[in-house]
Amino acid sequence: MNPILNTAFKAARRAGQMMIRAGGNLDTVKIDSKAFNDFVSNVDRESEMILVDALKEAYPHHKITCEESGSHGKSNAEYEWTIDPLDGTTNFLHGHPQYAISMALLHKGVLQEALVYAPERNDLYMASRGKGALLNDRRIRVSNRIELNRCLIGTGFPVVDQSMMDKYLAILKDFLSKTAGGRREGAASLDLCAVACGRLDGFFEFNLKPWDIAAGALIVQEAGGIVTDMKGNESWLDNGDIVAGNPKILAQMLKIIAAHQ
């Protein structure tokens, strides 16, 4: 593990231990609503504080952008962290173990390092640009399936902004009729990691934020997969519309989505 990811993991592990303790007594967790179906808890905020404090101490010249507290540091810094301190808050608040800490480091806007840590399972996904992707120190690769009807596809429902619900449901219906099935587990970072290690053959979702997808996307890329937006372009980190999969399947996924654009 390189020093940057080692620093990130130490912080993520401390935050994860706090989450597990809090998860043992969910009745005491304080919950606020940021918007319809968009929740934040004191656990999200405490996790973010742990992560930000650790990164500020280790890398005082880096910018840090977080889901809850916004940006820290110089706006024109060459290095920028993008962090989701608790991806899958709704899952966590219901005692569902599908949640994670997501941390990615960009240099001049290009993803360089990624870490996704799932505390309940003690699963650590990591990637460094040009050096491959790992799950618990073991190399991972995307699946090698080439027939869409044998593929399992992950997705995320548009529960916060439902303006695209009809379009999304039409796309989902098309996928369900042409694949081995769909899965919606509620944490995009872990869905992308599932693509990276072949548990899912592809994933798509609309209207995500950079902290939801930056780390997982680099892990997919370093595991041999491809990440695009819904039109096959590279604007996914900016527009939040993402498609990921192995090279053969991603092209077929984009064809289905294009029919509904």
Side-chain angles (χ1 to χ4, degrees), residues 36-37 155-169 172 184 204-207:
F36 178 73
N37 281 341
T155 187
F157 302 152
V159 294
V160 178
D161 178 3
Q162 299 190 5
S163 62
M164 297 183 67
M165 183 65 78
D166 290 343
K167 177 179 178 179
Y168 168 80
L169 290 175
L172 179 61
R184 194 276 185 181
F204 75 98
E205 188 168 355
F206 291 94
N207 200 28

Side-chain angles (χ1 to χ4, degrees), residues 7-19 43-59 64-69 72 81-87 100-104 115 117:
T7 298
F9 175 54
K10 287 179 179 178
R13 183 169 54 188
R14 289 199 301 273
Q17 290 169 346
M18 177 275 297
M19 290 177 188
V43 176
D44 297 70
R45 295 187 177 104
E46 186 174 347
S47 173
E48 188 166 286
M49 182 176 65
I50 292 169
L51 302 175
V52 170
D53 286 350
L55 294 177
K56 280 183 175 179
E57 181 178 354
Y59 305 106
I64 305 170
T65 301
C66 306
E67 178 176 11
E68 308 306 337
S69 61
H72 307 257
W81 292 89
T82 181
I83 295 173
D84 191 337
L86 176 46
D87 183 26
I101 295 161
S102 177
M103 308 173 70
L115 178 151
Y117 179 56

Side-chain angles (χ1 to χ4, degrees), residues 140-145 152 192-201 223:
I140 54 176
R141 295 289 296 176
V142 295
S143 73
N144 58 7
R145 293 183 182 88
L152 190 61
L192 289 165
C193 288
V195 173
C197 60
R199 295 172 186 162
L200 294 173
D201 301 290

